[in-house]
Amino acid sequence: MQLKSILIVDDSATSRMITKRCFMMAGFQDIIFHEAEDGLNAMTFLNDRLVDLIVTDLRMPKMDGKTFVRKLNMGERTASIPVIVLSSMGNEQMEKELGEDQVLAIIRKPLSPAKIAEVLEGE
């Protein structure tokens, strides 16, 4: 998968930093990383520009990851952006619903460079 820009959506600044670092350690150093604190801020960001990949947490204020993914899939410009969902919850029903929303992958935290490489090398 050819990546030039990634949007990381998570209410935790520490989690966003760890996600960025994991991508860099997985070999994606020449990427422009953008960040948003929740799905609402991410949607606002995406009004002005698009990215090649979105990595989002599920639990966030204002707009959670599940709602965010659904809104992405409804948008004419955003429906084709691949999404990786990060989750600390092991909820099979939630994973099934997200899979129906054409999520590229659901990765259970903690994230690692190896998990990123595994998901993106399959694309």
Side-chain angles (χ1 to χ4, degrees):
M1 176 179 282
Q2 182 68 19
L3 298 176
K4 294 180 184 174
S5 62
I6 297 174
L7 175 60
I8 301 170
V9 187
D10 198 309
D11 59 318
S12 165
T14 302
S15 290
R16 292 192 306 267
M17 179 191 65
I18 290 169
T19 300
K20 180 179 176 180
R21 189 171 295 157
C22 284
F23 269 90
M24 294 177 82
M25 291 173 67
F28 297 94
Q29 289 94 1
D30 297 328
I31 302 283
I32 298 170
F33 291 95
H34 304 281
E35 298 181 17
E37 297 175 352
D38 56 53
L40 188 60
N41 288 330
M43 290 304 295
T44 300
F45 173 87
L46 292 167
N47 284 335
D48 297 330
R49 66 200 97 171
L50 294 177
V51 294
D52 298 312
L53 177 69
I54 297 171
V55 180
T56 185
D57 188 27
L58 280 179
R59 289 183 149 177
M60 298 179 289
K62 295 184 186 175
M63 183 187 297
D64 65 15
K66 182 177 174 184
T67 304
F68 174 54
V69 168
R70 291 247 162 87
K71 288 195 176 284
L72 286 172
N73 287 330
M74 291 188 305
E76 188 176 315
R77 293 176 62 238
T78 57
S80 62
I81 301 172
V83 178
I84 294 175
V85 173
L86 303 178
S87 175
S88 57
M89 305 179 297
N91 183 329
E92 288 183 30
Q93 179 61 31
M94 176 80 70
E95 290 178 9
K96 182 180 180 219
E97 290 173 18
L98 287 167
E100 292 169 358
D101 286 330
Q102 299 178 357
V103 169
L104 179 64
I106 300 167
I107 299 175
R108 292 203 180 144
K109 292 181 180 178
L111 183 62
S112 72
K115 287 180 184 177
I116 290 171
E118 179 182 321
V119 168
L120 296 179
E121 286 174 3
E123 285 303 299

